[in-house]
Amino acid sequence: MIRTRIPAMLLTAALSLCMGPTGSSADDFADQRQKMVVFQIADRGISDASVLKAMASVPRHLFVAPELRDMAYRDSPLPIGLGQTISQPYIVALMSQLLAVQPGQRVLEIGTGSGYQAAVLAEMGVHVFTIEIVPELGRQAIEVLNALDYPNIRVKIGDGYKGWPEHAPFDAIIVTCAPTRIPKPLTAQLAEGGRMVIPSGEKYDQQLLLLTKQTGKIKQEKIVDVRFVPMVDRQGKTY
Protein backbone atom coordinates (compact mmCIF):
# COMPACT_ATOMS: atom_id res chain seq x y z
CA MET A 1 0.00 0.00 0.00
CA ILE A 2 1.43 3.36 -1.04
CA ARG A 3 0.98 6.19 1.45
CA THR A 4 1.78 9.85 0.88
CA ARG A 5 1.97 12.69 3.39
CA ILE A 6 -1.05 15.02 3.21
CA PRO A 7 -0.40 18.71 3.97
CA ALA A 8 -2.44 19.89 6.95
CA MET A 9 -4.29 22.65 5.02
CA LEU A 10 -5.36 20.26 2.27
CA LEU A 11 -6.30 17.63 4.82
CA THR A 12 -8.52 20.07 6.69
CA ALA A 13 -10.41 20.89 3.51
CA ALA A 14 -10.70 17.26 2.51
CA LEU A 15 -12.01 16.12 5.89
CA SER A 16 -14.81 18.65 5.76
CA LEU A 17 -16.03 16.96 2.58
CA CYS A 18 -15.55 13.30 3.44
CA MET A 19 -17.12 12.75 6.83
CA GLY A 20 -18.56 9.26 7.12
CA PRO A 21 -22.12 8.34 8.17
CA THR A 22 -21.52 8.77 11.90
CA GLY A 23 -19.79 12.10 11.43
CA SER A 24 -22.07 13.64 8.84
CA SER A 25 -24.51 15.33 11.19
CA ALA A 26 -23.40 18.46 12.99
CA ASP A 27 -22.34 18.09 16.60
CA ASP A 28 -20.56 20.19 19.18
CA PHE A 29 -17.39 18.15 18.80
CA ALA A 30 -16.94 18.18 15.01
CA ASP A 31 -14.30 20.90 15.09
CA GLN A 32 -12.38 19.17 17.88
CA ARG A 33 -12.49 15.91 15.94
CA GLN A 34 -11.13 17.52 12.78
CA LYS A 35 -8.31 19.24 14.69
CA MET A 36 -7.47 15.93 16.38
CA VAL A 37 -7.02 14.29 12.98
CA VAL A 38 -4.95 17.11 11.52
CA PHE A 39 -2.65 18.00 14.42
CA GLN A 40 -2.43 14.82 16.51
CA ILE A 41 -2.51 12.23 13.73
CA ALA A 42 -1.68 13.48 10.24
CA ASP A 43 1.07 15.80 11.47
CA ARG A 44 2.75 12.79 13.12
CA GLY A 45 2.97 10.87 9.88
CA ILE A 46 -0.28 8.92 9.69
CA SER A 47 -1.15 9.16 6.00
CA ASP A 48 -3.53 6.27 5.25
CA ALA A 49 -6.59 8.07 3.86
CA SER A 50 -9.01 5.43 5.17
CA VAL A 51 -7.63 5.82 8.71
CA LEU A 52 -7.84 9.61 8.59
CA LYS A 53 -11.38 9.55 7.24
CA ALA A 54 -12.51 6.98 9.80
CA MET A 55 -11.13 8.95 12.72
CA ALA A 56 -12.74 12.11 11.38
CA SER A 57 -16.04 10.25 11.26
CA VAL A 58 -16.26 8.30 14.52
CA PRO A 59 -17.65 10.38 17.43
CA ARG A 60 -14.98 9.54 20.00
CA HIS A 61 -16.81 11.51 22.71
CA LEU A 62 -19.63 8.95 22.69
CA PHE A 63 -17.22 6.23 23.80
CA VAL A 64 -16.32 7.91 27.10
CA ALA A 65 -18.37 8.83 30.16
CA PRO A 66 -20.43 12.06 29.82
CA GLU A 67 -18.28 13.84 32.40
CA LEU A 68 -15.15 13.16 30.28
CA ARG A 69 -16.53 14.15 26.89
CA ASP A 70 -14.87 17.55 26.91
CA MET A 71 -11.54 15.68 27.07
CA ALA A 72 -12.36 13.06 24.44
CA TYR A 73 -10.27 14.61 21.67
CA ARG A 74 -7.21 15.42 23.75
CA ASP A 75 -3.85 13.85 22.98
CA SER A 76 -4.05 11.25 25.74
CA PRO A 77 -5.76 8.03 26.82
CA LEU A 78 -8.78 8.29 29.11
CA PRO A 79 -10.25 5.97 31.74
CA ILE A 80 -13.41 4.07 30.78
CA GLY A 81 -13.91 2.38 34.15
CA LEU A 82 -13.01 -0.98 35.68
CA GLY A 83 -9.31 -0.27 35.33
CA GLN A 84 -9.45 0.05 31.54
CA THR A 85 -8.74 2.92 29.15
CA ILE A 86 -9.54 4.24 25.69
CA SER A 87 -6.24 4.63 23.86
CA GLN A 88 -4.64 7.90 22.82
CA PRO A 89 -5.98 8.91 19.36
CA TYR A 90 -2.53 8.71 17.75
CA ILE A 91 -2.03 5.14 18.97
CA VAL A 92 -5.43 4.11 17.59
CA ALA A 93 -4.47 5.64 14.24
CA LEU A 94 -1.00 4.10 14.24
CA MET A 95 -2.28 0.60 14.99
CA SER A 96 -5.03 0.95 12.40
CA GLN A 97 -2.54 2.04 9.73
CA LEU A 98 -0.13 -0.78 10.56
CA LEU A 99 -2.87 -3.34 9.87
CA ALA A 100 -2.97 -2.17 6.22
CA VAL A 101 -6.48 -3.61 5.78
CA GLN A 102 -8.68 -3.47 2.71
CA PRO A 103 -12.50 -3.14 2.63
CA GLY A 104 -14.24 -6.48 3.04
CA GLN A 105 -11.45 -8.13 5.01
CA ARG A 106 -11.97 -9.79 8.38
CA VAL A 107 -10.27 -8.37 11.47
CA LEU A 108 -10.11 -9.84 14.96
CA GLU A 109 -9.79 -7.37 17.82
CA ILE A 110 -8.76 -8.50 21.30
CA GLY A 111 -9.89 -6.04 23.97
CA THR A 112 -13.06 -4.27 22.85
CA GLY A 113 -12.92 -1.81 25.73
CA SER A 114 -15.13 1.15 24.88
CA GLY A 115 -15.65 -0.07 21.31
CA TYR A 116 -13.88 2.93 19.76
CA GLN A 117 -11.12 1.00 17.96
CA ALA A 118 -13.71 -1.40 16.55
CA ALA A 119 -15.75 1.54 15.26
CA VAL A 120 -12.70 3.05 13.54
CA LEU A 121 -11.98 -0.26 11.81
CA ALA A 122 -15.62 -0.67 10.82
CA GLU A 123 -15.56 2.79 9.22
CA MET A 124 -12.60 1.51 7.18
CA GLY A 125 -14.93 -1.06 5.63
CA VAL A 126 -13.76 -4.26 7.30
CA HIS A 127 -15.72 -6.90 9.21
CA VAL A 128 -14.73 -6.68 12.86
CA PHE A 129 -14.88 -9.57 15.34
CA THR A 130 -14.06 -8.14 18.76
CA ILE A 131 -13.70 -9.83 22.16
CA GLU A 132 -13.93 -8.23 25.61
CA ILE A 133 -13.22 -10.17 28.81
CA VAL A 134 -14.94 -7.67 31.16
CA PRO A 135 -18.70 -8.28 30.83
CA GLU A 136 -19.73 -4.77 31.90
CA LEU A 137 -17.48 -3.16 29.31
CA GLY A 138 -18.58 -5.58 26.63
CA ARG A 139 -22.24 -4.78 27.23
CA GLN A 140 -21.55 -1.02 27.23
CA ALA A 141 -19.64 -1.30 23.96
CA ILE A 142 -22.46 -3.30 22.36
CA GLU A 143 -24.95 -0.62 23.39
CA VAL A 144 -22.90 2.23 21.90
CA LEU A 145 -22.00 0.37 18.70
CA ASN A 146 -25.61 -0.67 18.15
CA ALA A 147 -26.76 2.93 18.65
CA LEU A 148 -24.27 4.05 16.00
CA ASP A 149 -25.47 1.27 13.65
CA TYR A 150 -22.38 -0.75 12.83
CA PRO A 151 -23.69 -3.96 11.23
CA ASN A 152 -20.13 -5.07 10.40
CA ILE A 153 -19.09 -5.45 14.06
CA ARG A 154 -19.66 -8.59 16.14
CA VAL A 155 -18.88 -8.43 19.86
CA LYS A 156 -18.16 -11.43 22.06
CA ILE A 157 -17.66 -11.44 25.82
CA GLY A 158 -14.90 -13.91 26.54
CA ASP A 159 -11.17 -14.61 26.87
CA GLY A 160 -9.37 -12.94 23.99
CA TYR A 161 -6.17 -14.95 24.49
CA LYS A 162 -7.99 -17.87 22.87
CA GLY A 163 -9.16 -15.82 19.89
CA TRP A 164 -12.33 -16.67 17.98
CA PRO A 165 -11.45 -19.90 16.15
CA GLU A 166 -14.86 -20.52 14.61
CA HIS A 167 -14.43 -17.37 12.51
CA ALA A 168 -10.74 -17.82 11.69
CA PRO A 169 -8.62 -17.27 9.71
CA PHE A 170 -8.45 -13.48 10.00
CA ASP A 171 -6.78 -11.14 7.54
CA ALA A 172 -5.58 -9.01 10.44
CA ILE A 173 -5.56 -9.12 14.24
CA ILE A 174 -5.28 -6.12 16.55
CA VAL A 175 -4.68 -6.50 20.28
CA THR A 176 -5.37 -3.57 22.62
CA CYS A 177 -4.06 -5.15 25.83
CA ALA A 178 -0.56 -6.43 26.50
CA PRO A 179 0.31 -10.07 27.16
CA THR A 180 3.82 -10.88 28.38
CA ARG A 181 4.19 -13.26 25.43
CA ILE A 182 2.57 -13.56 22.01
CA PRO A 183 -0.53 -15.80 22.28
CA LYS A 184 -0.09 -18.88 20.09
CA PRO A 185 -3.86 -19.21 19.46
CA LEU A 186 -3.81 -15.78 17.82
CA THR A 187 -0.87 -16.47 15.53
CA ALA A 188 -2.58 -19.74 14.55
CA GLN A 189 -5.75 -17.82 13.60
CA LEU A 190 -3.88 -15.27 11.47
CA ALA A 191 -4.27 -15.90 7.76
CA GLU A 192 -1.28 -16.43 5.49
CA GLY A 193 0.01 -12.99 4.56
CA GLY A 194 -1.93 -11.47 7.47
CA ARG A 195 -0.72 -8.84 9.93
CA MET A 196 -1.06 -8.64 13.70
CA VAL A 197 -0.45 -5.49 15.73
CA ILE A 198 0.08 -6.24 19.41
CA PRO A 199 1.73 -4.69 22.48
CA SER A 200 3.76 -7.18 24.47
CA GLY A 201 5.93 -7.18 27.57
CA GLU A 202 5.88 -6.51 31.29
CA LYS A 203 3.94 -3.57 32.74
CA TYR A 204 6.71 -0.98 32.43
CA ASP A 205 8.57 -2.53 29.50
CA GLN A 206 6.18 -3.01 26.58
CA GLN A 207 6.75 -2.77 22.85
CA LEU A 208 4.22 -2.40 20.07
CA LEU A 209 4.96 -5.15 17.58
CA LEU A 210 3.95 -5.79 13.99
CA LEU A 211 3.76 -9.50 13.18
CA THR A 212 3.33 -10.83 9.66
CA LYS A 213 2.73 -14.43 8.64
CA GLN A 214 4.83 -15.54 5.67
CA THR A 215 4.83 -19.17 4.50
CA GLY A 216 3.43 -20.17 7.86
CA LYS A 217 6.16 -18.41 9.86
CA ILE A 218 5.82 -15.26 11.97
CA LYS A 219 8.06 -12.29 11.25
CA GLN A 220 8.29 -9.73 14.05
CA GLU A 221 9.06 -6.00 13.87
CA LYS A 222 9.29 -3.57 16.78
CA ILE A 223 7.40 -0.33 16.17
CA VAL A 224 7.52 1.79 19.34
CA ASP A 225 7.60 1.57 23.13
CA VAL A 226 4.10 1.71 24.61
CA ARG A 227 2.12 1.15 27.80
CA PHE A 228 -1.16 -0.78 27.67
CA VAL A 229 -3.29 -2.47 30.29
CA PRO A 230 -2.26 -6.13 30.72
CA MET A 231 -4.02 -9.03 29.03
CA VAL A 232 -5.64 -11.12 31.75
CA ASP A 233 -7.72 -14.27 32.09
CA ARG A 234 -11.12 -14.50 33.79
CA GLN A 235 -9.46 -14.69 37.21
CA GLY A 236 -7.46 -11.54 36.54
CA LYS A 237 -4.15 -13.36 36.11
CA THR A 238 -1.80 -11.78 33.58
CA TYR A 239 -0.98 -13.82 30.49
Side-chain angles (χ1 to χ4, degrees), residues 183-200:
K184 290 184 178 180
L186 299 185
T187 57
Q189 292 171 38
L190 186 64
E192 176 65 26
R195 298 160 73 92
M196 183 192 306
V197 179
I198 179 171
S200 182

Side-chain angles (χ1 to χ4, degrees), residues 136-178:
E136 296 92 332
L137 290 180
R139 288 191 290 267
Q140 290 174 21
I142 290 170
E143 183 177 343
V144 175
L145 293 169
N146 284 344
L148 292 173
D149 191 21
Y150 284 110
N152 51 337
I153 298 177
R154 295 186 62 175
V155 182
K156 174 183 178 180
I157 296 174
D159 189 340
Y161 185 92
K162 301 173 183 178
W164 205 334
E166 55 266 45
H167 294 292
F170 298 97
D171 299 295
I173 297 176
I174 183 169
V175 183
T176 62
C177 49

Side-chain angles (χ1 to χ4, degrees), residues 88-111:
Q88 173 190 11
Y90 171 73
I91 292 296
V92 174
L94 175 63
M95 295 177 73
S96 300
Q97 177 166 282
L98 288 169
L99 289 180
V101 293
Q102 299 294 328
Q105 290 187 324
R106 296 154 56 86
V107 178
L108 174 65
E109 180 193 27
I110 306 304

Side-chain angles (χ1 to χ4, degrees), residues 30-163:
D31 184 59
Q32 291 184 47
R33 189 159 55 247
Q34 183 169 305
K35 288 179 179 177
M36 174 193 75
V37 173
V38 173
F39 299 112
Q40 297 180 35
I41 298 172
D43 273 1
R44 291 181 182 173
I46 302 299
S47 56
D48 187 315
S50 65
V51 174
L52 297 172
K53 182 177 178 179
M55 296 197 67
S57 300
V58 177
R60 181 177 166 90
H61 59 281
L62 297 183
F63 292 87
V64 300
E67 62 270 19
L68 296 178
R69 286 180 179 173
D70 286 342
M71 297 186 286
Y73 297 97
R74 292 184 181 181
D75 185 24
S76 64
L78 289 172
I80 56 173
L82 301 168
Q84 306 299 302
T85 60
I86 180 173
S87 294
Q88 173 190 11
Y90 171 73
I91 292 296
V92 174
L94 175 63
M95 295 177 73
S96 300
Q97 177 166 282
L98 288 169
L99 289 180
V101 293
Q102 299 294 328
Q105 290 187 324
R106 296 154 56 86
V107 178
L108 174 65
E109 180 193 27
I110 306 304
T112 312
S114 68
Y116 178 67
Q117 176 72 79
V120 169
L121 292 170
E123 286 283 353
M124 294 168 65
V126 301
H127 299 283
V128 183
F129 298 80
T130 180
I131 305 175
E132 174 54 54
I133 199 168
V134 182
E136 296 92 332
L137 290 180
R139 288 191 290 267
Q140 290 174 21
I142 290 170
E143 183 177 343
V144 175
L145 293 169
N146 284 344
L148 292 173
D149 191 21
Y150 284 110
N152 51 337
I153 298 177
R154 295 186 62 175
V155 182
K156 174 183 178 180
I157 296 174
D159 189 340
Y161 185 92
K162 301 173 183 178

